[in-house]
Each structure stands twice: as structure tokens, then as C-alpha cells.
Amino acid sequence: MAEPLPDLTLQNAPARRRKFLVVVDETPECRLALRYAALRAKNTGGRVALLYVVEPATDHQWAAVETVMRDEALEEAEHTLHGFAAEVNALSGLLPELHIREGRPKDVILDLVREDSAIRMLVLGAGTGKEGPGPLVSAFAGKLMGELPIPLTLVPGDLAPDRIDELT
């Protein structure tokens, strides 16, 4: 069995500060959600928590290949999170918490929110393409809404950055 992924939480702020959780990926709308959360945290004395979810491999027949793929996914997650952390810092002057978790994204998000009572809002970017708003937005704005114990903020993927600045 593979060892659990590390939780890269930076411990540089009081634990009770309100946190805005952003699930990061490489979509354009994610960067807008990140901008919104960073500026809201800055303007309200809060904090940003970034979550990167590594989905588990589905084929357990090739254990050695799975281990290599997992290690590569972890390396990519760390690299991606540090890039997003730099963006948060540039926007707000804050150092975000960094989380890498493995599992199904919806389950991982719910688990993290239940574990950390300082997380007060989930901020997701909503896609505007023909593919729809995205699987997490669809899930949490739909049937999982009742399971989410915090408010959900959806940032439309076609908002201009200066409009986000005005709204925060």
C-alpha cells in the first residue's frame, strides 16, 4: 500500500483565521477563483488554503508503474501548488496553506472542510465553455450542496480580473 501524501500546510498564521479554500487545477477559471479568494482574504483579514487533489490510479495490476505515476503526480502537485502560492502572495501579501490529498475530489474536499473548522468558504471557478461549469461546480451546486457545511462561492469564468478586484 502506498504511503499517504504529505500535507504541505504552512504553519505561519493563527489557526482560527477564516480560510477561503480554492481547489487548484490548470483551468483559466481556477486562476479567477484564486484571485477572488486571495483578495477577499486580504480585505477581510483571512487566509487562503489551496488544495490539489491527486486522483488515484485505477489499474492496480501494474504496481511499479502505479508508484512511478503517483510520484510524478505528487511532484506535479507540489510544483503547481507552489506556483499558485506565489500568485496568492503577489496578489495579497499572504502565504497560503498548501494541501495535497489523494482521492476523489468531491470526497477530499468534504473531508478537508470537515477536518478544518477554520475553512469558511469554498471558492470555485465556473467554466463558461460548452462543456459546462465543471464537475466540481456541478456537484457542489447540485446534489452535494446539502453536504457542504460552508458557503460555496462560484466565480464566473468570464469575469475580468479588474471586475474581480472591484467585487472583493
Side-chain angles (χ1 to χ4, degrees):
M1 180 173 188
E3 61 184 75
L5 294 175
D7 193 345
L8 299 176
T9 305
L10 298 176
Q11 301 293 334
N12 68 336
R16 300 305 302 164
R17 284 174 79 184
R18 170 191 4 206
K19 296 176 196 172
F20 298 86
L21 177 63
V22 180
V23 181
V24 299
D25 58 28
E26 294 298 331
T27 61
E29 59 267 16
C30 173
R31 283 197 151 53
L32 295 174
L34 180 88
R35 181 180 198 89
Y36 179 88
L39 295 175
R40 284 287 295 151
K42 175 184 176 185
N43 293 335
T44 63
R47 185 134 201 241
V48 176
L50 302 177
L51 172 63
Y52 189 105
V53 180
V54 176
E55 295 195 50
T58 55
D59 187 0
H60 299 288
Q61 182 177 355
W62 302 93
V65 174
E66 181 181 347
T67 299
V68 170
M69 289 175 61
R70 186 173 185 270
D71 291 345
E72 288 173 353
L74 177 58
E75 188 176 315
E76 178 185 336
E78 288 182 35
H79 177 74
T80 300
L81 274 178
H82 286 284
F84 280 109
E87 285 187 45
V88 170
N89 185 258
L91 287 165
S92 66
L94 302 171
L95 292 177
E97 285 186 0
L98 306 178
H99 300 274
I100 298 174
R101 301 274 178 104
E102 185 173 27
R104 292 180 48 219
K106 295 172 239 179
D107 297 334
V108 170
I109 293 165
L110 289 170
D111 289 345
L112 182 57
V113 167
R114 290 177 183 135
E115 289 170 20
D116 187 346
S117 63
I119 296 175
R120 305 287 174 83
M121 183 178 296
L122 174 59
V123 181
L124 297 175
T128 57
K130 62 183 173 188
E131 305 84 31
L136 291 177
V137 171
S138 296
F140 285 111
K143 66 181 180 177
L144 291 179
M145 180 60 94
E147 292 186 45
L148 191 62
I150 58 174
L152 170 64
T153 297
L154 299 177
V155 179
D158 57 358
L159 275 182
D162 60 335
R163 181 68 177 131
I164 292 173
D165 297 351
E166 292 172 9
L167 293 169
T168 58

